[in-house]
């Protein structure tokens, strides 16, 4: 069993930055970790993912060049550095972990979510 706990959300003005953290407990060896987000009235969407070795990283087109995902396996933690935030980034951000597949990463374990609000 894996538990994920996010932190770092908040309210900022457009153009500012936030860093989200997700601490994992349990079996994380060789896992893929990543972030999804869900805005009010919208479906949950993929944001970024990172392989266990950090050699493979992918982003949604909407955040490329502004967000950076990283992980520290010694701390069982994945991070999402969000720069140049826009109002359309407003959403609940969820940390996710998939024990097996990078290519079909959808998240098997989920955190409780952390709110990010960006005002114009």
């Amino acid at each position: 069993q894996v538990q994920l706990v996010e932190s770092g959300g908040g309210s900022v003005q457009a153009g500012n930055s936030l860093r989200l953290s997700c601490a994992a407990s349990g079996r994380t060896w060789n896992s893929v970790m990543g972030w999804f987000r869900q805005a009010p009235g919208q479906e949950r969407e993929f944001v970024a993912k990172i392989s266990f070795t950090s050699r493979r990283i992918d982003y949604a087109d909407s955040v490329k060049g502004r967000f950076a995902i990283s992980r520290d396996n010694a701390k069982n933690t994945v991070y999402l550095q969000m720069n140049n935030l826009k109002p359309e980034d407003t959403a609940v951000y969820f940390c996710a972990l998939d024990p097996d597949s990078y290519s079909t990463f959808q998240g098997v374990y989920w955190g409780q979510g952390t709110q990010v609000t960006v005002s114009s």
Side-chain angles (χ1 to χ4, degrees):
Q1 192 73 6
V2 174
Q3 291 187 329
L4 304 173
V5 179
E6 303 103 332
S7 60
S11 297
V12 297
Q13 290 191 324
N16 285 345
S17 300
L18 281 174
R19 188 175 84 152
L20 305 182
S21 300
C22 173
S25 61
R27 183 185 179 277
T28 61
W29 176 259
N30 209 34
S31 64
V32 182
M33 296 187 73
W35 295 90
F36 289 74
R37 67 186 182 185
Q38 187 168 19
Q42 297 186 20
E43 294 186 354
R44 190 173 297 187
E45 65 175 2
F46 166 77
V47 175
K49 61 182 176 180
I50 185 169
S51 66
F52 183 76
T53 61
S54 301
R55 291 176 183 171
R56 300 178 69 182
I57 291 175
D58 284 290
Y59 298 98
D61 288 343
S62 58
V63 305
K64 281 181 181 176
R66 300 188 298 120
F67 290 13
I69 189 171
S70 61
R71 67 189 290 170
D72 183 339
N73 291 332
K75 297 181 179 180
N76 285 337
T77 300
V78 65
Y79 305 96
L80 187 68
Q81 178 66 42
M82 305 185 294
N83 299 324
N84 190 22
L85 282 161
K86 303 177 180 180
E88 51 264 43
D89 295 318
T90 295
V92 177
Y93 283 70
F94 296 90
C95 177
L97 183 147
D98 186 325
D100 298 312
S101 177
Y102 184 86
S103 59
T104 60
F105 174 73
Q106 295 185 13
V108 175
Y109 299 97
W110 295 88
Q112 81 286 355
T114 185
Q115 177 70 46
V116 172
T117 303
V118 185
S119 58
S120 58

